[in-house]
Amino acid sequence: MRQKSIAVIVALTILATIPHWRAIFRGELNLPEGYFALFAPELKSQLKQTLWNALWWDGIGQFWAWRTEAMRQVHDGRIPLWTNRIGCGFPFLANPQTQSLYLPALVGNLVCDWLGDSLALPIHSTLPICSARLMAWLALFHTLLALVGAYLLIRSYGISRLSSLVGATAYGFGSFQIAWALLPTLPATASWLPLTIWLFRKLMAATTDGNAKTATVFGIGFSLSLAMMLFAGHGQVAIYSLLALILFVLLEIVPAFRKVKFAAVFAVVSPFALSFLLAAAQLLPTMELTPLTHRHGAPTWEGYKAFAQRGLTVIDWATMALPFLFGNPIDGGYFGKESFADYCAYAGFGILVLAIWGALWLGRRFALPILQKRLNAYTPTRLHAYTLAPLHAFSLFLLGALLASGSTFNLPLYFLLPGFSQLGTPSRAVFLCQLALGLMAAWALDLGRGTGDEERGKWQAVGAIAVALAAIVFAVGYVGWWLGDNLANFSWDEWISSLASQNIGIIAGFLAIVIFALRRSLIPSPQSLTFRYAIAVLLIGELSWFAAQQIPTARLPMVQQALQIAEQNLSKLVKQVPSPKSLTPIRLLPIGGDWSLTRYPQSLLPPNSTLLLPSSQVADARNYDSLLLRHHKTILALFSNGNPCPLENGNLILMPIRQVSLQGAKKLAQIVGADVVIEAFGERLRIADTVPVELRSWKIVKLPRALVPMKVRYVRTVDEAINQLRDCPEDTVLLVASPQKHQASPNDHALVTLDKDAFIKVKVESAEVHRVRRPVWVVLSDSAYPGWKAFCLVGYKSWRELPITVVNGAFRACHLPDIPSEVAWVYFPSSFAVGLFLSCIGVFCVTAVGVAELAGRFRL
């Protein structure tokens, strides 16, 4: 028994390395190499050609950049609450996709920092590479977690080890876990679901049996696993996972309702509450951020219709049989909807056929009265594979299919759940279907042990092969007919040829079904075990064929060279900027080119790219985030013809050149406190003095990030300030405050002397000597956000809190009672403080219960 368990562990570990074999064995990074031409156009001919996929760029422009920034702040000894290096300041931790408090990522950051100190490495210069390495190892960890969790869940139904291994591979190597690998929060969140369900089932069984000690252990494990799922960072996947978990709660509790006591219900409910308590440090800041983002808005029927139309249709479900019906994204041949990751439902052709065959066999073998009888006799401590496994698999598949297809099942979620209306496509719920297929296929695989009836076995063998052929014929025939009606130049011959070459791997799955069918009737029992292993190897081989090719990688030397060239090119421009000597980064306002979903964009250093440069002395006034601060985006839109984003991506503040005018760009640079405006398109970076006609006369201008304005105008609301901002004189700022004394002088100036992201110092001075008290407003062109406080130095090391307000619709200002003085801005939001307090209570509860359990077990 022990040897078999060790063998399973080894097998799962080996399997987990297959999708990431290039990163592990060749030292490459899980990044599309060709995209580094956007950093260093000089290397374009030397880079490995990678066809454009807008979602893959998110892996660089968002997740790699965020991981690098989080690692930088951890190395500097700070909690990554805020960053000033993008978007004029952004609440970094409040965005859950940065995974700032996600334990595996946090531990990885600390380990990388410790290794850097131990090996005396120049950590800041190696941060981007360290963070990319960490992303690859975290991807491996989540693949292993998905495999282990799915294996334990399937095994809990009494299914054999080998079949459970096959079913787990269907989930771990399915299209969701693999195709989203470069956007790690999606597979990371989904990878915790099987383990969480397994822990709940164990908790339910122990509670019903009255085994308090076992229930305590699994209750703690369930709480921690669910908390990790919430910390993992993707809200939409977390919501779908919680719905699946609720489904399993109902499936476990309802049949045994009469046997469950109040104490048992409390023992099951309390871990749910504890998990949310543990995750409060992340949930509360996220809840504070969400209403302030550009995605926040009231749900509408038009929006719901658009959301529902993005669900999986019949032609999309056909990819369950043939993953590359619409081409393979890895070779640039994909021509389907939006993105391959969103609209591929593949979890193995052989797995699909086994699941369908199992459902058909169950329908004939077990009539409804028999199934009801088995359920009435069910007790959670005696799991019966022939009833519970298919019932739970069918229920989970139905839930996933209803969500992923955009059915009216999404209606209450869309209108009643805050923020759900702004999430991605409903098709992302397909990972629930893939877990269900793995469970059903594993159950069906255990049925194929011969029938004892030769005639019935032959018919069942014919049925299995017929299902396999029907799946292929339907997928090819229906999709081909649809393409013929919708594409003018569609050619059946070319498409069939492409299908045959791109989907060759399903042959292994088809052979597995043939052997499975023969094993039902024709293969003698002494050879049955050999053929059973052959089926498993072929099924896993098919999924490995898919997983091993779907994650693009980049060679380490090319990544390092591209980043070095980008750093050098930018440094040449930065040296030309006249700026005072201080410990603050220079803020840039790049003007981008264009963007595209289908071809390489004509832009250099897109938003967030500066986070990846070794130097920490550069900041970008733009941002790229799915949770952009709404007012910041609105301000930039005022000076870019109403939209600072390309039409192809509303989350990317690119400032396209076609939407920027001379007057608008000059005023915007003053408002956001940019030190220099650069031309970030074409062959190289340039100072924006050779931009087309209307910008050609523009030279470098020092635009202060902090200032004492000459004139102030008071408005009642932020919206009123935004409406007046475009026509406001350059020497006037708009303050959302009641009138205060403001006695500014032309010789007053303010300078940011220290910038530690969540802690900023501003020195306010005047060249004139005044003997009377002179109050002024001090403006800091950083994003206004709840949680910021300002203090001024009074006397010797005595600080007093200052009144603060919003200036120019999106930035911060404080009222200083007198100058000269020094202002300290501190960011520590109450949402994080309360959440951290609640999380500490949760940690204390888990620790106390764990210590009590250990003390009782060892009689301490």
Side-chain angles (χ1 to χ4, degrees):
M1 187 69 68
R2 184 185 181 90
Q3 292 178 344
K4 291 182 178 179
S5 299
I6 294 175
V8 168
I9 294 173
V10 172
L12 290 171
T13 304
I14 294 174
L15 283 175
T17 63
I18 291 176
H20 313 284
W21 65 275
R22 294 186 185 90
I24 296 172
F25 302 113
R26 295 173 58 175
E28 297 182 353
L29 306 176
N30 287 350
L31 301 167
E33 182 175 314
Y35 298 3
F36 284 91
L38 300 183
F39 288 80
E42 302 93 326
L43 294 179
K44 188 173 183 179
S45 60
Q46 303 177 39
L47 295 171
K48 184 169 54 179
Q49 294 301 309
T50 310
L51 294 174
W52 181 253
N53 183 325
L55 273 182
W56 286 352
W57 171 256
D58 289 357
I60 295 178
Q62 288 188 335
F63 295 96
W64 185 26
W66 291 334
R67 175 63 45 229
T68 303
E69 175 64 9
M71 188 176 289
R72 178 182 72 86
Q73 296 205 32
V74 169
H75 171 73
D76 291 341
R78 304 195 301 270
I79 300 174
L81 291 171
W82 185 273
T83 180
N84 284 320
R85 298 188 67 196
I86 51 175
C88 298
F90 185 77
F92 191 78
L93 181 143
N95 181 359
Q97 295 206 76
T98 62
Q99 295 185 325
S100 300
L101 297 179
Y102 182 50
L103 188 59
L106 190 58
V107 170
N109 289 338
L110 295 173
V111 169
C112 289
D113 186 52
W114 175 78
L115 288 176
D117 291 341
S118 300
L119 301 177
L121 297 175
I123 188 67
H124 276 293
S125 63
T126 59
L127 272 179
I129 303 304
C130 291
S131 62
R133 290 281 193 208
L134 177 58
M135 286 179 62
W137 285 106
L138 286 175
L140 172 64
F141 166 76
H142 290 120
T143 300
L144 179 60
L145 178 64
L147 290 170
V148 171
Y151 173 84
L152 292 173
L153 177 61
I154 297 172
R155 187 83 176 99
S156 69
Y157 290 94
I159 298 174
S160 67
R161 289 183 177 84
L162 185 61
S163 298
S164 298
L165 193 64
V166 172
T169 308
Y171 183 70
F173 285 7
S175 61
F176 186 88
Q177 286 289 331
I178 300 302
W180 286 107
L182 294 190
L183 282 72
T185 55
L186 287 96
T189 306
S191 66
W192 289 97
L193 177 62
L195 180 63
T196 305
I197 295 175
W198 174 75
L199 288 168
F200 173 77
R201 297 192 76 238
K202 289 292 186 179
L203 170 63
M204 185 64 187
T207 303
T208 306
D209 285 348
N211 191 335
K213 292 184 178 181
T214 304
T216 300
V217 173
F218 285 110
I220 293 175
F222 171 74
S223 299
L224 294 175
S225 181
L226 181 55
M228 286 300 102
M229 188 170 72
L230 297 174
F231 273 122
H234 201 275
Q236 185 178 12
V237 177
I239 290 171
Y240 291 150
S241 299
L242 287 173
L243 290 176
L245 191 56
I246 292 172
L247 172 67
F248 272 83
V249 170
L250 296 176
L251 291 174
E252 292 286 348
I253 289 180
V254 171
F257 181 75
R258 297 178 181 178
K259 301 180 181 180
V260 177
K261 300 179 180 179
F262 174 78
V265 173
F266 176 78
V268 171
V269 173
S270 55
F272 273 94
L274 182 58
S275 63
F276 281 89
L277 200 64
L278 289 167
Q282 180 65 68
L283 295 178
L284 293 187
T286 300
M287 293 170 63
E288 182 180 52
L289 170 64
T290 302
L292 303 176
T293 64
H294 72 300
R295 287 194 170 196
H296 181 72
T300 63
W301 280 106
E302 291 75 14
Y304 172 73
K305 291 177 182 178
F307 175 81
Q309 289 174 355
R310 298 176 72 191
L312 295 177
T313 61
V314 176
I315 61 170
D316 300 316
W317 285 110
T319 57
M320 296 174 69
L322 299 174
F324 304 127
L325 270 174
F326 301 98
N328 189 344
I330 208 70
D331 60 14
Y334 179 72
F335 59 93
K337 297 179 185 177
E338 296 186 30
S339 70
F340 176 81
D342 271 314
Y343 290 96
C344 181
Y346 180 75
F349 172 76
I351 295 293
L352 173 66
V353 174
L354 278 176
I356 296 175
W357 182 88
L360 295 175
W361 187 91
L362 179 68
R364 180 177 179 181
R365 183 77 174 181
F366 287 96
L368 184 60
I370 299 177
L371 183 59
Q372 290 177 340
K373 181 179 178 181
R374 297 297 305 176
L375 287 177
N376 291 334
Y378 161 71
T379 58
T381 55
R382 295 183 181 179
L383 305 175
H384 197 292
Y386 294 106
T387 53
L388 289 181
L391 171 65
H392 289 186
F394 176 78
S395 302
L396 182 61
F397 185 89
L398 183 62
L399 173 65
L402 288 173
L403 291 170
S405 60
S407 69
T408 52
F409 193 78
N410 291 281
L411 191 64
L413 298 174
Y414 190 88
F415 284 97
L416 299 179
L417 192 63
F420 189 87
S421 60
Q422 304 299 320
L423 297 178
T425 63
S427 61
R428 295 175 184 179
V430 75
F431 73 96
L432 303 179
C433 300
Q434 294 173 343
L435 180 59
L437 287 175
L439 175 57
M440 182 64 106
W443 174 80
L445 192 58
D446 265 6
L447 294 178
R449 299 180 178 178
T451 63
D453 185 333
E454 184 177 349
E455 188 64 26
R456 181 185 298 177
K458 289 180 180 180
W459 281 109
Q460 290 179 357
V462 172
I465 297 176
V467 169
L469 293 174
I472 296 176
V473 171
F474 171 79
V476 174
Y478 185 81
V479 174
W481 168 79
W482 184 86
L483 291 174
D485 278 356
N486 289 273
L487 298 180
N489 298 322
F490 177 72
S491 169
W492 273 93
D493 293 340
E494 293 180 3
W495 183 61
I496 293 295
S497 176
S498 174
L499 281 183
S501 61
Q502 291 182 335
N503 294 276
I504 189 111
I506 71 161
I507 292 177
F510 187 83
L511 290 176
I513 297 303
V514 172
I515 297 175
F516 173 82
L518 295 176
R519 183 169 175 258
R520 291 288 300 170
S521 59
L522 303 179
I523 296 176
S525 56
Q527 302 177 11
S528 179
L529 184 61
T530 301
F531 280 89
R532 185 162 173 257
Y533 277 98
I535 295 171
V537 169
L538 288 170
L539 291 173
I540 293 174
E542 178 199 349
L543 287 160
S544 299
W545 155 80
F546 173 80
Q549 61 174 306
Q550 283 303 303
I551 301 179
T553 57
R555 293 166 293 175
L556 178 60
M558 299 308 301
V559 174
Q560 291 174 321
Q561 190 174 352
L563 294 180
Q564 289 172 359
I565 291 176
E567 174 80 7
Q568 293 169 2
N569 292 339
L570 195 57
S571 296
K572 292 178 182 178
L573 298 183
V574 169
K575 288 179 180 179
Q576 304 177 42
V577 179
S579 60
K581 295 181 179 180
S582 65
L583 299 177
T584 63
I586 294 175
R587 181 169 292 175
L588 310 176
L589 179 59
I591 300 174
D594 68 355
W595 203 253
S596 175
L597 298 178
T598 58
R599 59 171 176 78
Y600 271 84
Q602 301 299 313
S603 292
L604 300 176
L605 285 184
N608 291 4
S609 297
T610 54
L611 294 176
L612 296 169
L613 302 182
S615 172
S616 59
Q617 296 305 310
V618 175
D620 192 341
R622 305 172 302 170
N623 196 1
Y624 182 22
D625 202 315
S626 56
L627 295 175
L628 296 169
L629 291 177
R630 182 170 65 253
H631 290 149
H632 176 261
K633 182 178 179 180
T634 303
I635 297 300
L636 270 65
L638 290 176
F639 303 97
S640 53
N641 289 337
N643 188 7
C645 305
L647 297 177
E648 296 84 355
N649 191 339
N651 299 329
L652 180 73
I653 297 182
L654 185 67
M655 298 299 294
I657 181 60
R658 66 177 182 274
Q659 297 171 208
V660 177
S661 66
L662 170 61
Q663 186 175 358
K666 289 174 64 177
K667 187 154 189 175
L668 176 62
Q670 292 176 340
I671 292 172
V672 301
D675 296 289
V676 64
V677 180
I678 65 172
E679 179 184 328
F681 56 89
E683 295 299 325
R684 61 184 178 85
L685 298 173
R686 288 184 291 268
I687 297 293
D689 61 346
T690 56
V691 186
V693 182
E694 66 272 19
L695 294 181
R696 192 166 294 164
S697 61
W698 191 359
K699 298 292 182 179
I700 304 172
V701 180
K702 178 70 180 80
L703 303 171
R705 176 181 169 189
L707 71 152
V708 178
M710 284 300 301
K711 299 178 182 178
V712 298
R713 183 188 300 173
Y714 297 98
V715 295
R716 295 181 179 179
T717 64
V718 169
D719 291 337
E720 185 179 349
I722 292 175
N723 292 334
Q724 298 182 21
L725 186 60
R726 188 174 180 85
D727 300 323
C728 184
E730 293 185 1
D731 62 349
T732 305
V733 298
L734 300 170
L735 291 167
V736 185
S738 58
Q740 302 277 352
K741 287 185 178 180
H742 178 68
Q743 302 175 359
S745 166
N747 295 315
D748 297 340
H749 66 272
L751 174 66
V752 178
T753 58
L754 181 66
D755 185 350
K756 294 295 183 181
D757 295 299
F759 180 74
I760 301 171
K761 278 189 176 183
V762 180
K763 189 175 183 179
V764 184
E765 295 179 326
S766 177
E768 301 177 5
V769 179
H770 296 271
R771 296 181 179 179
V772 297
R773 186 183 181 93
R774 192 158 61 89
V776 295
W777 284 99
V778 180
V779 173
L780 181 65
S781 298
D782 286 3
S783 299
Y785 190 79
W788 277 104
K789 293 185 178 181
F791 302 86
C792 72
L793 184 62
V794 179
Y796 181 71
K797 294 186 178 180
S798 177
W799 295 87
R800 185 177 73 182
E801 187 172 353
L802 301 174
I804 64 174
T805 189
V806 178
V807 62
N808 290 338
F811 305 99
R812 306 197 296 271
C814 64
H815 192 254
L816 190 63
D818 194 11
I819 58 174
S821 185
E822 189 172 27
V823 178
W825 286 91
V826 180
Y827 177 70
F828 195 77
S830 58
S831 59
F832 177 70
V834 174
L836 184 61
F837 175 73
L838 294 176
S839 294
C840 289
I841 293 177
V843 172
F844 174 79
C845 292
V846 170
T847 304
V849 173
V851 170
E853 175 64 24
L854 289 175
R857 180 167 297 186
F858 294 100
R859 298 180 180 179
L860 297 178

